Amino acid sequence: MSRRAKSIQPSATLSISSKAKELAKQGKPVIDMSVGEPDFITPKHIIDAAIEALNEGRTFYTPTRGIPELVDAIIDWARQRGMDAGVENVIVTPGAKYAIFEAIMATIEEGDEVILLDPSWVSYEPCVQMADGRVVWVPHNEGFEDAPIEDYVTSKTKMIVVNSPSNPLGVVYPKEFLKKVRDIAIDNNVLVLSDEIYDRIVFEGEFTSIARFDGMQERTILINGFSKTYAMTGWRLGFAIAPEEITKHMLRIQSHSVSHPTSFVQYAGVAAFKGDQKCVEEMVAEFRVRRDILREGLDEMGLRYAPPEGAFYMFVDVGRDSMTFCQELLEKEYVAATPGSAFGKAFSTWIRLSYATSRQNICKAIDRLGNLIKCTS
Ligand code: PMP
Ligand code: GLU
């Protein structure tokens, strides 16, 4: 096998979730709080648009960049957020994950350093490794809303990855922190990959896109997608907005690998962006209620966690080895959670709980978590 493939491990989030599904199939009362996947059915008008596209015969190859209708909808979306994007800046991909993979493959090579905040989502590091780059982990400050990135920039730094709201933290980074990242990026001629996939799922604070700051559009690769906002994980639809030179090279990779995202799925994406946004508001309101239930339960157990301001994760310190803890939580209490060690270097006693599951499941999970904490403390 290639060094490239051997250098990475399977995605922890997806493997734990598969294990949970297997146990559920065996009839065990599993509650899956491992994977970050909305449990809502995709809104009907989006499903209908895909069916209509199929019935109309939209079953052929599409342009590599994506269908013009969706590219235009993305340009409109960017305009509404104060950004000025043209067709040449947009690429539609099969999931945001593939946009990240292509962006890193297009820009990073041997010798390049990529700054990741510790903890960060599980797939950034493997993408950098596959591109032969080197990850430099930067710890967060107390409170998780700042990080001393400036101390870790070297002449080899090529990219800083920012993910706000953050997976796994749930933190929405304050404007001051993003402005600091902007200054560092501009002063050191560094790219920023801004993964904004949770931008609409915000409960506290205000989401700010770093791409909107002066001088940033020309060095930002903005990543977003439909999985989380519109409950469309299985559809595989995401996109990037980036400087033309970067999308040009991402397109080359896309044209020789997946060609483009599935044709009729792209029509569903147009319906998602152009249709009524009430479905998003309803889902976000429900996530908020679920977060409050989980937070209250964790408070009662006296557990410490990162400020849960957005996305649908709580990152919790359980005070003991999280690999063993998660294994016991699944095997004894049938609750699947992701160990903190999957997200970086400094969180071996933390776990991530995804509250993209029903209120009832969250209540049950709190009781079961309490059982394990009581019997192991
Ligand atoms: N970025 C982050 C931070 C995520 O949590 C996810 C979840 N899958 C993705 C990107 C990729 O999303 P998708 O490929 O489903 O669009
Ligand atoms: N992003 C989600 C998570 O972190 C989905 C799984 C994945 O793609 O990693 O759980």
Side-chain angles (χ1 to χ4, degrees):
M1 293 304 111
S2 67
R3 185 172 45 83
R4 174 172 304 114
K6 285 194 292 190
S7 72
I8 58 170
Q9 294 299 320
S11 162
T13 44
L14 297 182
S15 355
I16 295 163
S17 179
S18 301
K19 195 166 170 199
K21 285 193 179 94
E22 223 170 87
L23 282 172
K25 225 170 159 187
Q26 292 165 16
K28 308 286 193 244
V30 174
I31 297 172
D32 189 359
M33 297 181 80
S34 66
V35 74
E37 172 164 50
D39 57 330
F40 308 114
I41 304 285
T42 305
K44 188 167 179 311
H45 67 281
I46 300 175
I47 295 179
D48 287 345
I51 294 173
E52 202 180 308
L54 277 169
N55 284 329
E56 282 174 356
R58 314 265 187 208
T59 52
F60 299 92
Y61 289 137
T62 77
T64 305
R65 193 187 295 281
I67 56 170
E69 294 90 326
L70 184 52
V71 171
D72 286 347
I74 292 167
I75 291 170
D76 279 353
W77 172 93
R79 273 199 200 120
Q80 282 163 22
R81 308 165 133 240
M83 286 171 60
D84 186 22
V87 172
E88 67 284 2
N89 302 115
V90 176
I91 175 167
V92 188
T93 55
K97 194 184 279 184
Y98 200 65
I100 294 166
F101 175 80
E102 283 178 353
I104 291 176
M105 281 295 165
T107 56
I108 302 301
E109 60 195 351
E110 199 171 348
D112 290 339
E113 292 179 355
V114 176
I115 288 185
L116 294 186
L117 299 182
D118 190 4
S120 273
W121 179 50
V122 295
S123 290
Y124 303 129
E125 184 177 36
C127 286
V128 174
Q129 285 167 334
M130 284 187 274
D132 285 332
R134 193 172 85 83
V135 165
V136 175
W137 288 100
V138 176
H140 279 85
N141 292 359
E142 191 74 24
F144 294 104
E145 291 185 342
D146 197 0
I149 292 180
E150 59 281 14
D151 298 342
Y152 291 79
V153 173
T154 71
S155 57
K156 294 183 180 153
T157 308
K158 183 82 180 279
M159 177 185 278
I160 301 170
V161 176
V162 179
N163 169 219
S164 182
S166 149
N167 175 5
L169 290 173
V171 161
V172 177
Y173 290 108
K175 230 182 213 150
E176 302 73 57
F177 173 64
L178 298 174
K179 282 195 170 146
K180 182 177 89 170
V181 177
R182 178 216 31 209
D183 293 344
I184 295 170
I186 291 178
D187 292 349
N188 296 279
N189 193 22
V190 167
L191 294 169
V192 170
L193 186 140
S194 180
D195 181 350
E196 305 182 358
I197 193 148
Y198 298 102
D199 64 341
R200 303 275 294 274
I201 310 173
V202 172
F203 319 114
E204 246 83 65
E206 195 194 333
F207 166 76
T208 311
S209 173
I210 195 167
R212 288 192 51 191
F213 294 152
D214 283 348
M216 281 310 284
Q217 240 186 282
E218 60 222 53
R219 60 177 67 256
T220 304
I221 306 167
L222 187 157
I223 305 286
N224 212 316
F226 297 78
S227 288
K228 318 291 173 172
T229 310
Y230 299 100
M232 289 175 70
T233 47
W235 297 71
R236 312 309 302 130
L237 192 63
F239 61 90
I241 301 179
E244 183 176 2
E245 195 59 11
I246 295 180
T247 51
K248 191 170 112 189
H249 289 84
M250 289 171 72
L251 281 166
R252 289 187 190 177
I253 296 170
Q254 181 145 298
S255 74
H256 286 299
S257 51
V258 293
S259 300
H260 56 75
T262 303
S263 56
F264 50 89
V265 167
Q266 297 185 55
Y267 289 91
V270 175
F273 261 5
K274 298 247 154 158
D276 196 338
Q277 300 299 300
K278 219 173 98 203
C279 55
V280 180
E281 284 158 31
E282 285 166 2
M283 287 189 271
V284 173
E286 178 58 25
F287 283 136
R288 181 193 286 272
V289 173
R290 294 170 179 190
R291 178 205 61 168
D292 291 345
I293 296 171
L294 181 58
R295 183 163 57 178
E296 209 179 301
L298 297 176
D299 285 344
E300 272 171 28
M301 284 180 243
L303 296 176
R304 187 162 67 111
Y305 47 79
E309 299 159 333
F312 34 65
Y313 305 107
M314 284 193 72
F315 201 57
V316 188
D317 188 0
V318 291
R320 66 207 77 174
D321 179 61
S322 66
M323 285 298 259
T324 320
F325 186 87
C326 286
Q327 200 173 340
E328 288 185 6
L329 190 62
L330 185 57
E331 284 165 8
K332 293 188 181 157
E333 299 291 339
Y334 299 118
V335 176
T338 314
S341 45
F343 301 97
K345 299 287 169 214
F347 293 91
S348 60
T349 65
W350 295 62
I351 64 168
R352 186 192 77 175
L353 293 169
S354 159
Y355 50 88
T357 186
S358 68
R359 299 181 196 190
Q360 201 188 13
N361 275 349
I362 293 168
C363 292
K364 280 191 206 156
I366 291 168
D367 289 344
R368 296 185 195 179
L369 193 63
N371 290 341
L372 188 66
I373 300 244
K374 262 187 258 146
C375 43
T376 51
S377 56

